[in-house]
Amino acid sequence: MELVEIKGLFEMDFGSPSPTILSNDNELFIAFYADKQSSSTIPQERNTIYDTGIFALKFKAFLKYTFGLPGDETIQGHPYSKLGMKSYSFYELRNSDLIKSLQHIEKIHPNYNPEKWKMYKHYILTFHDNMFECIAQDFEIREENTSLYNQATLMLNELSASQKYGSRSHP
């Protein structure tokens, strides 16, 4: 396995990024606050109704995601920490053990095609209090000058529209 940091897209908020996840069968969004320029060294709590400065990632053709432990104080206990994983970062895990595990499960499917699995990537976002992992084909990122509350509403509307017109394809 090789952990590759995806740099230059955003600077993670070290205090309270307030990650918010919305998904349906077709699409998966995670939105969070980026680091706001501040002279304070003390992390500031966010007001998710009024504070602006959101990044929204949309994962395309996702298969699975997890969200929860570890946070920044326990990340050293995660198996990927020996690969260099640290808090407040965005990664792709190449040659992923999780993708191999999911592929092994799917081998019993009558239409199993091993070539389709080459399109999937393992993404990891490490926040202050938690970590997000996602297996998807790709992602797009948007920077929004809105609050997390308003962004969640926009994402929910987009999910509703895709649910009406979208269809799920399995590997």
Side-chain angles (χ1 to χ4, degrees):
M1 291 185 294
E2 178 188 10
L3 192 65
V4 178
E5 189 170 3
I6 301 170
K7 296 181 179 183
L9 299 178
F10 54 85
E11 291 295 323
M12 186 72 70
D13 185 312
F14 280 62
S16 183
S18 304
T20 300
I21 301 167
L22 289 170
S23 72
N24 62 18
D25 286 348
N26 303 306
E27 296 174 312
L28 168 67
F29 290 94
I30 184 166
F32 52 88
Y33 284 104
D35 190 29
K36 55 181 176 179
Q37 299 299 320
S38 171
S39 59
S40 174
T41 57
I42 300 168
Q44 303 297 310
E45 190 168 333
R46 296 289 189 156
N47 182 323
T48 58
I49 295 177
Y50 299 109
D51 285 355
T52 61
I54 296 294
F55 279 87
L57 275 70
K58 176 181 177 181
F59 290 92
K60 301 175 183 182
F62 84 95
L63 296 179
K64 180 179 181 91
Y65 74 91
T66 61
F67 183 69
L69 292 173
D72 68 342
E73 294 173 343
T74 58
I75 199 164
Q76 296 81 15
H78 194 282
Y80 301 153
S81 69
K82 62 185 162 211
L83 300 174
M85 185 173 71
K86 57 187 185 301
S87 294
Y88 317 109
S89 300
F90 185 31
Y91 299 98
E92 178 187 340
L93 181 63
R94 296 183 180 157
N95 198 23
S96 164
D97 57 342
L98 180 55
I99 291 177
K100 288 177 185 174
S101 168
L102 294 174
Q103 185 178 11
H104 181 72
I105 292 168
E106 282 292 308
K107 283 183 179 179
I108 66 163
H109 194 283
N111 296 324
Y112 173 75
N113 178 356
E115 289 301 307
K116 286 186 177 182
W117 285 90
K118 293 178 181 176
M119 297 184 292
Y120 288 96
K121 297 176 183 175
H122 184 165
Y123 297 105
I124 302 169
L125 279 160
T126 55
F127 297 100
H128 179 73
D129 291 324
N130 38 49
M131 181 172 108
F132 170 84
E133 292 184 79
C134 178
I135 307 299
Q137 287 185 3
D138 203 2
F139 72 93
E140 32 180 85
I141 187 167
R142 301 187 291 227
E143 183 175 2
E144 304 285 353
N145 190 25
T146 188
S147 70
L148 190 56
Y149 176 85
N150 287 336
Q151 185 62 35
T153 303
L154 294 170
M155 293 184 312
L156 189 56
N157 288 336
E158 193 170 333
L159 287 174
S160 296
S162 74
Q163 192 71 25
K164 275 187 214 175
Y165 305 111
S167 64
R168 175 79 170 177
S169 62
H170 292 280

